[in-house]
Amino acid sequence: MSRPISSDTPPMARPTSTHNDATPLFIPLDLDALGQGRHAATAPPQGRSIVLVGLMGAGKTTIGRMLATQLNLEFVDSDEEIERAAGCSIADLFQKYGEAEFRRGEHMVLRRLLSGPPIVLATGGGAFMDPRTRACVRENATSVWLRCTLPVLLNRVQDRTHRPLLNVESPATVLSDLMRARHPVYAEADIIVDCGDDNVEHSAEKVLGAINTARRPLLVPVELERARYDVQIGADMIRRAGARLAPLLPQKRVMIVTDANVAALHLPALLAGLEETGIRHETITVPPGEGSKTLAEYGRVTNDLLAAGVERGTTVVALGGGVVGDLAGFAAATTLRGLPFVQIPTTLLSQVDSSVGGKTGINTPFGKNLLGAFHQPISVLIDTTALTTLPAREIRAGYAEILKSGLLGDADLFEWCDRHGQAVLEGDSAMQAEAIRRACAFKAAVVADDEREERKANGRALLNLGHTFGHALEAELGYDGRLLHGEGVSIGLRLAFMLSVRLGYCPQADLDRVTAHLERLGMPARISDTGEEFSAATLIRHMQRDKKMRDGRLSFVLVRGIGEAFTCRDVPDDAVAAVLRADGCRP
């Protein structure tokens, strides 16, 4: 006799069938019967269960048994476990209780199975279609979609008369309809393996190889008072963006904002990933470069969004560097009083800086980022493979922001940079991913403590270490690309240490160490590295227009040493001028 569902389960959904007296029917499940007699499992790669999804005929059971043997795990067929827990067949459950209640019971069984030791689990074809089940699998297992073409599936199911669906209409019609409905959802799986006419052993080898080489993204949670999202860091994130975003989007429609250069490199992969999961998309392309962060371009982007008929649930996706992220984010913040927003940064600089924290904005003739809004994304996808398309100069510019985090508040991060910075600049993918993770985690902590930069001292303002000098250099060159933002920050970091030494806050030894680090890695360290000449007085006038000014006094982030930054709201003009002249500026 089956026992009723245990009392620790959530409230039951309304079933599709009832008794004659209209009393709801719920599947009686003996959840304690699950997993009886199993041996202790050896954890697979990454220590998670493996869940196989796919249509009938995909080979989930056969391949699953082979995988389990190779991984020294228990193999479990979810349909068999459901029948064990319910005490009757799947067909009887559907007939008596209806599909809605069956899916509810199926979810409970799968949740119980995945809460135990790692297993290889073959699911029924419709299990992954239930959002609750997908969420449970995503949290507890690595999912693998065994994708097959229609001819392969037809060949495998033609003699399966026990399948009720195949006895109603022609198998080709049934499978074609199921593929249209289910493939966009199956594509949310962590791994996709095409299983064609190869023998089953070869397909199992392909699946095992994919599992062994797959790497789950590094996650950096950003926890704020009014928002929470994850920064996901890993390879091929652009190509699998649909799988990463589908669970998060309010509706399966996005508006992509990108620039012409990035579109040529990365847009096809993004579109393929979105289409794979059935996400509708349109693209707005802007000119590359800082010149797009203008009122005119902002007006064009917002007009294009409105002309496309966006709704409050339509998500704006920024695909590109910091310029695209700032512009698209500001457009998202202000269109219809706020649209959901996703950052897919494609430069190292934007990956570790502008994509995290919700600052958006555009430039004006009076200065950089003087029009903007705080608008947090719902997700940040960082694709480390995108870095392979960047010139060395762009990598160095991004590294400056990583180094900045260590210099302002994380001495351990600076030590890490001192040991591994060269590997990051030379393209070591593992080191780049770890550098990005460390920098994003540091920034997330700072942003969580002062999201809107409202503290009168320290707080989020510390992230501007080196920026007051850097922005002044950029402004004097007209943001024309002769000096990248990260290059300005790199020079500004050393100048901030020079100013701190001059004012008596920082020991000379720390300035020397920072200078040596920059020079050893070939980073811009001095104003002369720009190849341009500057006037100290002119640069100071640019600083006086900075949005961080208070009561007309120069404001800087200074340091007491490596990892010990603080805000200083009243820095004498003559001290700043002396530092600029010492670094080669004319008066």
Side-chain angles (χ1 to χ4, degrees):
M1 187 70 167
S2 296
R3 294 168 46 186
I5 298 172
S6 61
S7 59
D8 65 346
T9 57
M12 302 176 185
R14 182 176 296 278
T16 58
S17 303
T18 59
H19 289 292
N20 291 335
D21 61 1
T23 302
L25 282 176
F26 300 110
I27 301 177
L29 296 174
D30 182 4
L31 295 180
D32 291 335
L34 302 178
Q36 291 181 354
R38 291 212 175 97
H39 61 72
T42 300
Q46 304 178 41
R48 296 163 67 87
S49 291
I50 306 297
V51 174
L52 303 179
V53 302
L55 291 173
M56 64 181 85
K60 298 188 294 290
T61 299
T62 305
I63 291 174
R65 293 187 188 280
M66 293 180 177
L67 282 178
T69 299
Q70 291 290 325
L71 296 171
N72 193 29
L73 296 178
E74 185 75 15
F75 172 74
V76 180
D77 184 297
S78 68
D79 283 354
E80 291 178 0
E81 294 297 320
I82 293 166
E83 291 178 340
R84 182 197 307 218
C88 61
S89 70
I90 299 292
D92 288 342
L93 290 173
F94 261 85
Q95 183 177 10
K96 185 174 183 180
Y97 299 99
E99 182 173 4
E101 176 60 15
F102 172 79
R103 294 301 175 200
R104 175 188 166 278
E106 180 180 52
H107 165 69
M108 295 175 63
V109 169
L110 293 177
R111 186 180 65 183
R112 177 65 68 91
L113 291 170
L114 294 176
S115 67
I119 57 175
V120 175
L121 177 64
T123 62
F128 205 63
M129 300 300 292
D130 186 297
R132 298 165 300 180
T133 297
R134 289 200 302 281
C136 177
V137 172
R138 194 176 297 115
E139 181 178 353
N140 296 287
T142 296
S143 53
V144 183
W145 174 23
L146 306 182
R147 182 167 59 186
C148 297
T149 63
L150 180 59
V152 169
L153 293 176
L154 283 172
N155 182 58
R156 292 177 179 175
V157 304
Q158 58 186 349
D159 296 325
R160 298 189 183 184
T161 56
H162 65 287
R163 295 280 188 176
L165 280 175
L166 301 180
N167 296 329
V168 177
E169 295 186 71
S170 74
T173 300
V174 170
L175 288 171
S176 294
D177 290 344
L178 288 174
M179 290 173 80
R180 279 192 294 272
R182 293 182 178 179
H183 277 198
V185 179
Y186 289 164
E188 294 182 32
D190 296 311
I191 299 170
I192 301 174
V193 178
D194 288 306
C195 300
D197 287 324
D198 304 323
N199 58 49
V200 178
E201 290 81 4
H202 185 245
S203 292
E205 289 175 5
K206 288 172 65 177
V207 174
L208 183 61
I211 292 171
N212 285 330
T213 58
R215 295 291 179 268
R216 295 185 63 80
L218 301 175
L219 295 183
V220 176
V222 183
E223 305 271 1
L224 307 173
E225 183 178 346
R226 292 179 290 271
R228 187 215 177 275
Y229 57 93
D230 286 326
V231 179
Q232 304 182 55
I233 307 163
D236 298 319
M237 296 293 288
I238 293 175
R239 177 61 184 82
R240 296 304 320 280
R244 296 292 168 188
L245 296 179
L248 306 174
L249 299 179
Q251 63 178 202
K252 278 196 162 185
R253 185 191 178 196
V254 301
M255 298 292 297
I256 303 164
V257 180
T258 188
D259 71 41
N261 291 343
V262 172
L265 292 170
H266 303 299
L267 186 59
L270 176 59
L271 298 185
L274 297 175
E275 290 164 2
E276 192 172 59
T277 52
I279 298 173
R280 293 178 294 138
H281 54 79
E282 296 172 62
T283 302
I284 300 171
T285 304
V286 302
E290 194 79 18
S292 284
K293 284 180 58 171
T294 62
L295 268 173
E297 202 61 29
Y298 161 77
R300 187 179 73 83
V301 171
T302 52
N303 283 341
D304 286 351
L305 290 173
L306 295 171
V310 295
E311 302 173 1
R312 292 294 295 273
T314 306
T315 298
V316 175
V317 174
L319 175 68
V323 169
V324 168
D326 286 352
L327 173 63
F330 189 36
T334 51
T335 302
L336 300 184
R337 294 189 175 92
L339 298 176
F341 176 47
V342 168
Q343 287 268 24
I344 307 182
T346 57
T347 66
L348 183 58
L349 178 65
S350 59
Q351 289 175 353
V352 300
D353 182 31
S354 58
S355 67
V356 181
K359 277 189 177 181
T360 71
I362 57 176
N363 302 332
T364 78
F366 298 96
K368 190 178 176 74
N369 297 324
L370 294 183
L371 292 180
F374 289 95
H375 190 56
Q376 298 295 340
I378 61 174
S379 184
V380 179
L381 304 183
I382 294 180
D383 189 341
T384 54
T385 54
L387 300 180
T388 62
T389 66
L390 297 179
R393 184 185 178 195
E394 291 275 5
I395 297 293
R396 287 195 297 269
Y399 177 78
E401 286 287 348
I402 299 171
L403 181 65
K404 177 202 72 176
S405 296
L407 293 176
L408 75 90
D410 188 346
D412 288 341
L413 175 54
F414 175 76
E415 296 293 342
W416 188 93
C417 288
D418 221 22
R419 293 192 304 272
H420 304 295
Q422 192 66 48
V424 173
L425 295 183
E426 290 176 352
D428 184 309
S429 58
M431 289 300 179
Q432 287 178 338
E434 178 61 13
I436 293 166
R437 185 196 68 79
R438 286 172 177 258
C440 288
F442 178 81
K443 184 168 186 180
V446 173
V447 171
D449 191 51
D450 184 22
E451 179 183 354
R452 302 178 72 84
E453 203 168 321
E454 294 171 328
R455 287 194 177 184
K456 293 182 178 180
N458 300 327
R460 186 168 181 168
L462 294 175
L463 295 171
N464 291 307
L465 178 66
H467 282 58
T468 302
F469 285 110
H471 284 171
L473 294 169
E474 285 185 90
E476 178 61 13
L477 294 177
Y479 308 109
D480 61 4
R482 282 179 287 171
L483 181 70
L484 300 179
H485 173 69
E487 293 172 332
V489 170
S490 181
I491 295 168
L493 291 174
R494 180 172 174 274
L495 291 172
F497 269 77
M498 287 178 65
L499 181 57
S500 299
V501 170
R502 184 173 189 85
L503 294 175
Y505 295 119
C506 176
Q508 178 70 36
D510 282 2
L511 167 60
D512 293 342
R513 191 174 181 196
V514 171
T515 302
H517 179 84
L518 292 171
E519 292 179 339
R520 177 166 56 85
L521 297 188
M523 299 284 292
R526 294 174 171 79
I527 292 177
S528 59
D529 291 340
T530 65
E532 307 287 341
E533 291 187 359
F534 297 90
S535 159
T538 301
L539 291 178
I540 290 173
R541 281 197 295 273
H542 284 299
M543 295 175 194
Q544 290 168 340
R545 294 178 177 178
D546 195 287
K547 60 184 178 299
K548 294 178 286 298
M549 286 280 293
R550 289 197 178 184
D551 301 321
R553 298 180 182 275
L554 286 179
S555 176
F556 283 85
V557 179
L558 301 177
V559 292
R560 292 187 173 88
I562 291 173
E564 300 179 68
F566 67 98
T567 53
C568 188
R569 298 293 183 187
D570 189 10
V571 177
D573 292 8
D574 59 353
V576 178
V579 165
L580 292 172
R581 289 195 300 272
D583 202 46
C585 287
R586 63 180 185 274

